[in-house]
Amino acid sequence: MSHTQLHMEKDNKAKVLCLHGFRTSGSFLKKQISKWHPSIFQQFGMVFPDGIFTAGGKSEIEGIFPPPYFEWFQFNKEFTEYTNLDECISHLCDYMVKNGPFDGLLGFSQGATLSALLIGYQAQGKVLNDHPPIKFMVSIAGSKFRDPSICSVAYKDPIKVKSVHFVGEKDWLKVPSEELAAAFEDPVIVRHPQGHTVPRLDEASVQQLSEWSSSILEGLKNADVAKASDLEKPSEGNTGTKPAENLVEQVAA
């Protein structure tokens, strides 16, 4: 296989924007996700950016994973008031347009909460109007925002993307994680006995998640083939079908 073919194959992978938790980093989330079986995400292009702000206090992973650490926005103890959230949303939307398009979002804790917000806002036409619709989400220990002015928009209607939600039995965000899952249409919930962490997966969970990710890829491929067929339908006076067949074969390859 040539270098050009390898480059094209990488570029053609479904891209997933992965948002880390509070006062950690993109590198740390990448390491956490690497604990999972490669069959789950090996066909996806995973992107792990750092938060927009340098951590403003102690990180819970100090001594476990090296700095620097970052946060996406700040909040009060009750998680009802947020600082720099609008700036964070604007930054992520710009990042997605410039570095995407992204097919899906994955997030842990603060990153998962943000991911769901972006998808809910996009569905209501509030953000990302210049980016294709996000099609799926993986939430690990996520939660909903609690500000009514945000909730009335982001969770106004059931969020209609395919989603998986990891809920830890010992996680202090167990109930909020369940509440976030309930904001989605037909969510898949994966329960684990651990706390507020990216969990290690048992064999059943690996199989469940691998099948889910395969169905995502199949849906994306079918959508691309259908789109290519529509774009290459012969115009009036041109009944040739060869270009469309060639394009469909390329997309399906």
Side-chain angles (χ1 to χ4, degrees), residues 74-135:
Q74 299 78 40
F75 48 90
N76 66 350
K77 186 177 180 180
E78 293 76 26
F79 201 63
T80 54
E81 297 177 5
Y82 320 102
T83 304
N84 295 316
L85 179 59
D86 288 344
E87 185 177 349
C88 171
I89 292 171
S90 178
H91 167 79
L92 282 172
C93 290
D94 288 344
Y95 184 93
M96 291 174 69
V97 171
K98 291 174 183 174
N99 298 280
F102 290 92
D103 297 286
L105 300 178
L106 176 150
F108 171 71
S109 194
Q110 187 181 56
T113 301
L114 257 182
S115 296
L117 178 69
L118 289 172
I119 297 172
Y121 270 2
Q122 186 187 40
Q124 298 297 332
K126 186 176 174 68
V127 300
L128 292 171
N129 293 316
D130 48 355
H131 185 284
I134 301 300
K135 302 173 184 69

Side-chain angles (χ1 to χ4, degrees), residues 22-24 28 55-69:
F22 187 62
R23 295 181 181 169
T24 63
F28 181 63
K58 184 175 175 60
S59 169
E60 291 187 0
I61 63 171
E62 286 181 21
I64 299 172
F65 192 85
Y69 311 123

Side-chain angles (χ1 to χ4, degrees), residues 114-217:
L114 257 182
S115 296
L117 178 69
L118 289 172
I119 297 172
Y121 270 2
Q122 186 187 40
Q124 298 297 332
K126 186 176 174 68
V127 300
L128 292 171
N129 293 316
D130 48 355
H131 185 284
I134 301 300
K135 302 173 184 69
F136 61 91
M137 175 182 166
V138 178
S139 171
I140 309 161
S143 63
K144 293 167 70 173
F145 283 88
R146 296 179 183 173
D147 182 333
S149 67
I150 294 176
C151 297
S152 63
V153 179
Y155 322 119
K156 177 183 178 183
D157 301 312
I159 301 175
K160 297 180 180 180
V161 304
K162 293 187 175 182
S163 64
V164 169
H165 302 260
F166 288 85
V167 179
E169 187 60 36
K170 298 176 183 176
D171 189 353
W172 59 279
L173 283 180
K174 176 186 176 183
V175 173
S177 293
E178 293 171 335
E179 291 172 349
L180 180 63
F184 285 74
E185 186 174 87
D186 298 324
V188 174
I189 297 177
V190 179
R191 297 186 181 276
H192 62 87
Q194 299 159 59
H196 194 67
T197 185
V198 175
R200 294 188 180 277
L201 304 179
D202 60 23
E203 192 173 328
S205 295
V206 168
Q207 182 174 350
Q208 182 182 17
L209 204 55
S210 295
E211 290 174 355
W212 181 85
S213 63
S214 294
S215 72
I216 293 290
L217 288 170

